[in-house]
Amino acid sequence: MAADLFDGLESAGPARQQLAPGAVLLRGFARSQQAELIAVIEAIAAQAPFRRMMTPGGHQMSVAMTSCGSCGWVTDRTGYRYDALDPESGQPWPAIPPLFRDLAEQAASEAGFADFAPDACLINRYEPGAKMSLHQDRDERDIGAPIVSVSLGLPATFLFGGLKRTDKTQRYRLVHGDVVVWGGPARLAFHGIAPLADGEHALLGRRRINLTFRRAR
Ligand code: SIN
Ligand code: FE2
């Protein structure tokens, strides 16, 4: 298919790229499971819909989010936290499906982190213009475990810096099927997503979806 050929060329480059000690980009790692992943994301969103949450500072996030796992990440005027219940429904979050769990574990292992057992998966949905400012993932109790991040849909520019907010950031293009893993000395690296450029993806339309797996509690 022409679209496949195009995507293949777009992600040409080394299959594996080290971003920093403890951080690796596995190009196309999730690609062969694209259809199943998207179907599962739709099923989760039917139970726990995407929503644009409020930051503690009172700004509505441009990224719409939901979660699955024994806890999900939430933000509101009182702060950021992991919560066992979806505040919209008062119900537990959907469980992490085996497909997700296996993918996260395999990617972590490929990156050198054995036995990764995530208990939370944050699902981010970006539309053109949406972004995620530079931040650290540090609401998790277990920072001995890595973060595994799966990109689907429209390409994005991933910013990856150091342990200080002011450290220089490198920019990487993440396309459909790419997986980034960061842990060990990179676990608390600052990272973010530049405003999403408009485009049309063959499977996801004008959207990018990102899954991040964490060991939160
Ligand atoms: C995140 O930092 O939680 C999301 C990163 C991404 O969307 O790739
Ligand atoms: Fe993050």
Side-chain angles (χ1 to χ4, degrees):
M1 225 169 80
D4 271 318
L5 177 62
F6 177 71
D7 281 1
L9 289 174
E10 194 176 40
S11 59
R16 177 197 182 93
Q17 187 178 359
Q18 174 125 13
L19 310 187
V24 58
L25 164 52
L26 306 169
R27 289 195 198 274
F29 193 84
R31 209 184 148 85
S32 64
Q33 298 173 78
Q34 54 185 357
E36 297 91 325
L37 288 169
I38 291 168
V40 166
I41 292 163
E42 280 167 5
I44 291 168
Q47 236 182 293
F50 284 102
R51 78 289 309 259
R52 288 175 58 202
M53 292 183 285
M54 197 70 92
T55 66
H59 299 285
Q60 189 180 33
M61 297 189 71
S62 59
V63 178
M65 298 177 172
T66 186
S67 285
C68 60
S70 59
C71 53
W73 188 83
V74 295
T75 172
D76 58 22
R77 290 306 299 255
T78 67
Y80 307 122
R81 65 185 178 279
Y82 280 95
D83 203 312
L85 302 180
D86 175 352
E88 293 290 314
S89 65
Q91 297 298 311
W93 298 97
I96 300 182
L99 173 77
F100 276 22
R101 197 174 283 290
D102 292 350
L103 173 63
E105 208 248 273
Q106 285 159 15
S109 157
E110 183 66 27
F113 301 98
D115 303 321
F116 178 47
D119 59 4
C121 171
L122 178 56
I123 309 175
N124 294 315
R125 186 184 71 197
Y126 298 74
E127 288 177 357
K131 67 179 170 72
M132 193 166 301
S133 311
L134 212 57
H135 67 280
Q136 292 170 297
D137 291 353
R138 53 172 213 197
D139 299 325
E140 298 74 28
R141 199 166 298 157
D142 184 2
I143 59 160
I147 301 283
V148 172
S149 158
V150 178
S151 292
L152 295 167
L154 288 179
T157 300
F158 182 54
L159 312 171
F160 196 80
L163 300 179
K164 296 201 299 287
R165 183 178 290 280
T166 51
D167 287 344
K168 186 173 159 36
T169 55
Q170 303 287 336
R171 299 164 76 89
Y172 301 93
R173 183 174 166 83
L174 298 183
V175 306
H176 182 71
D178 287 350
V179 176
V180 185
V181 181
W182 62 97
R187 177 59 182 75
L188 291 177
F190 276 89
H191 60 279
I193 292 286
L196 196 78
D198 203 354
E200 180 76 28
H201 185 268
L203 296 179
L204 284 171
R206 296 176 74 219
R207 289 181 297 170
R208 168 177 188 261
I209 293 190
N210 168 263
L211 311 173
T212 46
F213 294 91
R214 304 112 189 276
R215 182 92 202 155
R217 315 227 248 202

